[in-house]
Amino acid sequence: MWNKILFSFPIQLLFLNLKKNLLLVSLWGLLVLIIIQKFGTVLGIPYLFLDPEYMNKISWQSFFLVGVALAIFTMAFHMTTYILDGPKFIFLAVVPRPFINFCLNNSIIPLAFYILYIYTFFHFQLDNEHENNWVILEYFLGFTAGSVITYALLFLYFGFTNKDFFLLFAGTLEKQLRKTKITRANMLKRIKESKKAENRVLDYFDISFKFKPVRQDLANFEGRNLLRVFDQNHLNMVIIQTVLISLILILGIFRETPFLQLPAAASGILLLSIATMLVGAVSFWLREWGAPVVVVVVLLINSLSNTAWFNRPHTAFGLDYIAEPVAYNLDQLNKILHPDTIALDKENTLEILENWKRKFPEFSKPKMVFITVSGGGQRAALWTLKVLQEVHHVTNEQLFKHAQLITGASGGVIGASYFREIYLQSITDPAINVLDSKYLDQISADNLNPIIFTLLVNDLLFRNQYFYYNDRFYLKDRGFAFESQFNINTYGILDKPLYSYKLPEWNSQIPMIAVTPLITNDGRKLYISPSPMSYMCVSLERLEGLNEKSQGVEFRRFFVKQDAENLRFLTALRMGATFPFITPNIQLPSKPQMEIMDSGLSDNFGMQDALKFIHVFEDWIKQNTSGVLLLTIRDSEKFSEIDQKKPPTILQKLFTPLKNIYINWDNVQTLHNEVLFTRMVESVDFPIERIEFEYSTLQYLQERGLADESGAFNPQEQEIQRASLNWRLTAREKKSIIDNINSPYNRRSLNRLKNYSFFE
């Protein structure tokens, strides 16, 4: 009985996959780590599989498409392993429907994944607290239908095309086989390999769902003819792969049609399917030459990647890329940071400050408010918007009236910019209610599916579609997909050129906003603002003895010949929220090319810029205000307990240094900002107060019994429950973020503002 189990076809295939096809098995391992929330949890990747969205909602259709994609990936796995390992089991050539039988016996790994996925799916959905749990059954049936229908169609196709030895050589089907020299050479080599194979199989699982003994009299059949049975499937694989890639190309042409935009999980699984089939194709055609040829091709592509054809820049929409690129060197930086220029920009901002003061009664001394917001993708955008709505309400609309400058990074700036635009429109249209919850729904609507889908159908192939903006053509990419979807979600209210905010900021109708992405070429900040701000890039008096290096580049003045004022404001926001691999790094028209990354790399909380502005206008603030209120909106806890760490393993020791840098980046910036803030408070002659809001998962954990009253919790549990860092939030995450305004910490901050005096 032990031998019967050990040498059964399913077990032998499992051993062979673990021994020989580890790369293919690792793809299943990656999916397992994702769905059990051990990989990509911080980025919300598991939720793309367990709670997918389609057409901006979670439905049976979204699960249906994930089911279709997973079935395609499973069949790609079966086809590839059949091509690679099928000839080792010659008995398959004489059984009816050899490929279908192979799939049944090769299903231990896929079946285990399906069982695990269904378990995690139900566990996740039941924890989502649906009003009616019958919707979970609807999702499950959608997923099941997608998989079953796909399997049925594919097996129907293989049922007609996949023949055993006796049918194949009955007369006509042999003519359909390809007879190139490469195929014949592969066949002869595989005949020799099959004779040396030591794969012993006693029985196999038949399509009748019964175990049958393996036929042992195969010596009577000609080996060459037996192997031709297996070669049928290579043609089938080529056909299916061609159909799949053609489908992706077609979807790429119409990718802006919402109906055709697959859920992000489905797009990712299809990408894995193509990779799996490519492994099979390369291994079949090139055999032992596969690895060297792949290395050569990768090196060739890498060498061509910096040519004009392959390295077409990801552009900033609105800028002129045809004009002569501006020189990006120290001489040019010194020219635009001339002392006279800095003085002129300072005078311009002083006039804005005077306009700000005119909003209040004469001879009064109002508080000047600075708002700093942290990055954190869509969760930061939603959290910032929610906090600003609540603050606007409890202060009787006073706080935003007193606000002069908003600084920060990534999603926080997007949320603040959205609130600022709603506030600006409400000034002329009393019907607009800035506190309406519909704005929370709009800014938190899915923005990830179009990005991942565009990556699959466009950016990984060739970007060849253009769109028209500001009388210029620009290549479409996933950055364009991000902006387009965000524009749709927010009903187009931020789709303006940069200069459109110049007059409202000048009149102090709205606070100034500086979008400050990082320039990866040299680590400087790029200050994107409709108002000139060169004084933020260097000290007011550049004393030669100090040998000061400029800290930033003013976008509007640096790219004046490239039509900087017409930069699309949505593009400016995306430049400050460039998440690696999700939205592409923008290249600007300079020589050498200036490349932009997320603002959070330099200052994720906006504190440095706020304090810099206060320092520059310290004298005016002292004479004309009763002090400064610094409102900070964080998407992370400022005070977090120190983890108790166990002794690391050898592998952990290898990755700990990099992991510590990543984990402590938030803490390092927070501590640095605390030093700057403390020094500022000690050095100025006017009061500076700070009121903070933070998105914390502690309340969420306590409500579910995952943390005690003292706040002790499992850090891993907190990481899982915390809203993810990407551009798509689940319903549970949205609720967690919005409800966080009621945490004791944030309620205390709201109460302080409720009783706050904005005048001396």
Side-chain angles (χ1 to χ4, degrees):
M1 179 61 68
W2 172 249
N3 283 342
K4 199 171 182 63
I5 296 174
L6 182 62
F7 293 103
S8 64
F9 196 29
I11 298 300
Q12 287 298 303
L13 282 176
L14 175 63
F15 288 163
L16 188 61
N17 284 326
L18 295 175
K19 175 183 176 181
K20 182 174 176 289
N21 302 321
L22 203 55
L23 179 61
L24 298 179
V25 174
S26 66
L27 298 181
W28 288 105
L30 175 63
L31 292 177
V32 167
L33 291 175
I34 288 173
I35 64 170
I36 65 174
Q37 302 188 38
K38 296 297 183 182
F39 178 86
T41 306
V42 175
L43 303 179
I45 296 176
Y47 308 142
L48 304 180
F49 291 78
L50 301 173
D51 212 29
E53 281 193 22
Y54 174 63
M55 301 281 288
N56 284 328
K57 65 179 182 179
I58 301 163
S59 62
W60 70 266
Q61 292 97 329
S62 61
F63 280 96
F64 178 89
L65 292 171
V66 173
V68 169
L70 189 56
I72 291 174
F73 174 65
T74 303
M75 292 306 297
F77 172 73
H78 287 321
M79 285 187 289
T80 300
T81 51
Y82 182 79
I83 291 296
L84 297 176
D85 302 322
K88 294 180 174 63
F89 305 96
I90 298 298
F91 75 90
L92 280 173
V94 296
V95 301
R97 310 301 180 196
F99 176 67
I100 297 177
N101 275 290
F102 179 88
C103 292
L104 286 175
N105 288 270
N106 195 43
S107 294
I108 291 180
I109 293 176
L111 182 61
F113 177 80
Y114 267 90
I115 294 173
L116 182 62
Y117 177 80
I118 291 171
Y119 170 79
T120 54
F121 158 78
F122 276 108
H123 183 271
F124 181 86
Q125 291 296 334
L126 288 171
D127 194 44
N128 255 356
E129 302 175 359
H130 293 285
E131 293 182 3
N132 183 356
N133 282 340
W134 284 106
V135 73
I136 301 176
L137 180 61
E138 182 182 324
Y139 294 164
F140 172 71
L141 293 176
F143 171 78
T144 303
S147 292
V148 170
I149 291 173
T150 304
Y151 285 129
L153 293 175
L154 288 173
F155 279 128
L156 186 64
Y157 168 76
F158 283 113
F160 282 109
T161 60
N162 191 234
K163 308 298 180 180
D164 60 25
F165 177 87
F166 302 102
L167 288 176
L168 182 61
F169 291 99
T172 58
L173 291 178
E174 184 182 5
K175 297 177 182 179
Q176 298 179 17
L177 295 175
R178 303 176 68 182
K179 294 183 178 181
T180 64
K181 292 182 179 180
I182 296 178
T183 303
R184 288 200 296 271
N186 270 337
M187 191 184 303
L188 292 172
K189 177 164 285 190
R190 290 162 66 200
I191 291 171
K192 296 178 181 178
E193 291 175 355
S194 66
K195 292 179 180 178
K196 300 177 182 178
E198 298 178 358
N199 300 87
R200 180 187 175 193
V201 176
L202 297 179
D203 50 21
Y204 68 96
F205 194 61
D206 185 65
I207 56 176
S208 61
F209 297 101
K210 296 179 181 178
F211 277 97
K212 290 186 177 181
V214 169
R215 187 167 179 173
Q216 303 296 332
D217 59 346
L218 299 180
N220 298 328
F221 298 93
E222 186 181 348
R224 185 181 303 241
N225 291 336
L226 288 171
L227 285 173
R228 283 182 180 172
V229 178
F230 296 102
D231 284 339
Q232 297 172 89
N233 236 61
H234 178 254
L235 183 59
N236 287 336
M237 183 177 177
V238 170
I239 292 172
I240 291 178
Q241 190 169 6
T242 302
V243 170
L244 181 59
I245 294 177
S246 300
L247 177 63
I248 288 175
L249 290 173
I250 293 172
L251 290 175
I253 296 173
F254 303 101
R255 65 179 178 274
E256 292 172 46
T257 305
F259 178 77
L260 297 178
Q261 291 179 357
L262 302 179
S267 298
I269 294 173
L270 287 179
L271 181 60
L272 293 181
S273 303
I274 294 175
T276 299
M277 288 190 283
L278 284 175
V279 169
V282 170
S283 299
F284 178 84
W285 288 106
L286 302 176
R287 310 295 287 174
E288 67 269 14
W289 286 98
V293 170
V294 168
V295 171
V296 171
V297 170
V298 169
L299 292 176
L300 180 62
I301 293 175
N302 181 66
S303 64
L304 295 174
S305 62
N306 59 358
T307 61
W309 174 254
F310 287 95
N311 189 31
R312 292 183 287 182
H314 295 280
T315 52
F317 307 141
L319 289 189
D320 184 0
Y321 281 78
I322 299 177
E324 181 70 22
V326 59
Y328 184 37
N329 52 39
L330 294 179
D331 288 339
Q332 182 67 19
L333 292 179
N334 289 330
K335 286 180 182 178
I336 66 171
L337 292 177
H338 190 276
D340 293 342
T341 301
I342 297 172
L344 185 65
D345 289 355
K346 184 179 178 182
E347 286 299 320
N348 180 81
T349 304
L350 284 172
E351 293 184 31
I352 295 176
L353 296 180
E354 291 293 337
N355 292 333
W356 174 85
K357 187 181 178 183
R358 293 190 186 99
K359 294 189 296 183
F360 308 107
E362 190 176 3
F363 304 118
S364 67
K365 282 201 169 187
K367 290 280 187 180
M368 178 172 281
V369 176
F370 292 82
I371 302 173
T372 66
V373 295
S374 72
Q378 196 170 40
R379 76 179 181 214
L382 176 59
W383 174 236
T384 298
L385 178 59
K386 176 61 178 176
V387 171
L388 289 177
Q389 283 186 327
E390 290 295 323
V391 165
H392 190 70
H393 173 66
V394 300
T395 61
N396 294 318
E397 304 182 3
Q398 286 298 306
L399 185 132
F400 216 68
K401 184 179 180 181
H402 284 253
Q404 173 54 42
L405 179 68
I406 299 174
T407 60
S410 189
V413 171
I414 291 178
S417 298
Y418 187 49
F419 181 85
R420 186 180 74 155
E421 177 60 36
I422 298 169
Y423 176 81
L424 177 62
Q425 293 189 11
S426 71
I427 294 175
T428 55
D429 185 358
I432 294 177
N433 179 13
V434 297
L435 305 180
D436 199 321
S437 62
K438 70 179 182 181
Y439 300 120
L440 299 174
D441 295 331
Q442 291 173 9
I443 202 167
S444 61
D446 175 60
N447 209 40
L448 186 64
N449 278 356
I451 298 174
I452 303 300
F453 185 69
T454 301
L455 175 66
L456 172 68
V457 303
N458 184 75
D459 288 13
L460 288 179
L461 300 171
F462 294 101
R463 291 184 290 133
N464 54 9
Q465 289 185 327
Y466 291 83
F467 84 105
Y468 192 69
Y469 179 80
N470 192 28
D471 299 327
R472 300 184 182 98
F473 287 97
Y474 300 91
L475 273 172
K476 293 181 179 179
D477 55 14
R478 58 193 186 279
F480 169 78
F482 172 87
E483 292 184 27
S484 297
Q485 187 61 49
F486 184 78
N487 201 32
I488 292 171
N489 294 346
T490 55
Y491 292 84
I493 67 172
L494 288 172
D495 193 5
K496 298 179 175 183
L498 183 64
Y499 74 83
S500 65
Y501 287 107
K502 184 175 182 179
L503 189 59
E505 286 188 6
W506 168 266
N507 292 327
S508 203
Q509 291 176 288
I510 54 175
M512 301 166 65
I513 282 184
V515 183
T516 57
L518 181 74
I519 304 171
T520 61
N521 306 59
D522 54 17
R524 289 180 170 89
K525 283 184 179 181
L526 183 67
Y527 286 88
I528 305 175
S529 169
S531 305
M533 304 179 73
S534 61
Y535 48 79
M536 298 292 287
C537 305
V538 71
S539 61
L540 297 180
E541 297 180 359
R542 301 182 67 182
L543 302 177
E544 293 184 5
L546 295 178
N547 196 26
E548 181 185 0
K549 180 178 180 178
S550 60
Q551 300 100 49
V553 177
E554 196 208 340
F555 172 82
R556 183 173 164 273
R557 183 171 281 111
F558 190 85
F559 291 104
V560 62
K561 294 183 179 179
Q562 284 72 31
D563 201 12
E565 288 194 338
N566 275 304
L567 175 73
R568 192 185 194 189
F569 188 64
L570 283 172
T571 301
L573 294 177
R574 174 165 64 93
M575 290 165 70
T578 300
F579 198 85
F581 306 113
I582 302 300
T583 48
N585 292 358
I586 287 179
Q587 289 87 36
L588 297 177
S590 61
K591 190 175 182 180
Q593 246 177 17
M594 187 184 291
E595 191 160 321
I596 303 304
M597 276 198 72
D598 195 289
S599 306
L601 290 175
S602 54
D603 180 15
N604 195 46
F605 302 98
M607 184 67 70
Q608 296 175 22
D609 289 326
L611 297 179
K612 171 73 173 180
F613 189 95
I614 294 172
H615 171 70
V616 172
F617 298 99
E618 178 181 343
D619 293 339
W620 191 94
I621 293 173
K622 178 182 177 181
Q623 295 174 8
N624 296 276
T625 75
S626 57
V628 166
L629 170 61
L630 199 62
L631 183 76
T632 66
I633 305 174
R634 300 172 54 100
D635 95 317
S636 60
E637 294 92 344
K638 182 176 179 180
F639 300 98
S640 56
E641 191 56 70
I642 301 172
D643 296 341
Q644 298 294 328
K645 294 185 177 181
K646 298 179 180 179
T649 64
I650 294 176
L651 290 178
Q652 287 175 334
K653 288 180 180 179
L654 292 176
F655 295 102
T656 294
L658 292 176
K659 184 179 179 181
N660 286 341
I661 292 174
Y662 169 75
I663 292 176
N664 287 315
W665 191 250
D666 182 278
N667 291 329
V668 169
Q669 290 198 16
T670 296
L671 293 173
H672 178 63
N673 289 338
E674 288 295 287
V675 173
L676 294 178
F677 177 76
T678 303
R679 289 179 178 174
M680 177 63 71
V681 171
E682 293 172 347
S683 63
V684 297
D685 292 332
F686 50 84
I688 299 181
E689 300 173 80
R690 180 170 58 178
I691 298 179
E692 297 177 302
F693 292 85
E694 63 178 35
Y695 167 57
S696 169
T697 53
L698 180 57
Q699 180 190 17
Y700 184 92
L701 294 170
Q702 287 176 329
E703 289 175 353
R704 284 156 179 76
L706 302 173
D708 58 29
E709 294 182 359
S710 66
F713 56 84
N714 185 337
Q716 292 183 346
E717 187 68 39
Q718 183 196 34
E719 196 64 42
I720 292 174
Q721 301 297 341
R722 182 173 176 75
S724 51
L725 177 63
N726 65 16
W727 292 106
R728 190 259 175 172
L729 298 169
T730 66
R732 183 173 64 181
E733 289 176 319
K734 294 175 187 178
K735 186 177 186 301
S736 167
I737 294 169
I738 293 173
D739 290 350
N740 224 264
I741 196 67
N742 295 316
S743 73
Y745 186 93
N746 294 321
R747 292 312 305 180
R748 286 195 296 270
S749 296
L750 285 174
N751 289 333
R752 284 184 63 190
L753 284 170
K754 188 175 182 179
N755 302 311
Y756 192 81
S757 175
F758 286 93
F759 293 92
E760 188 176 41

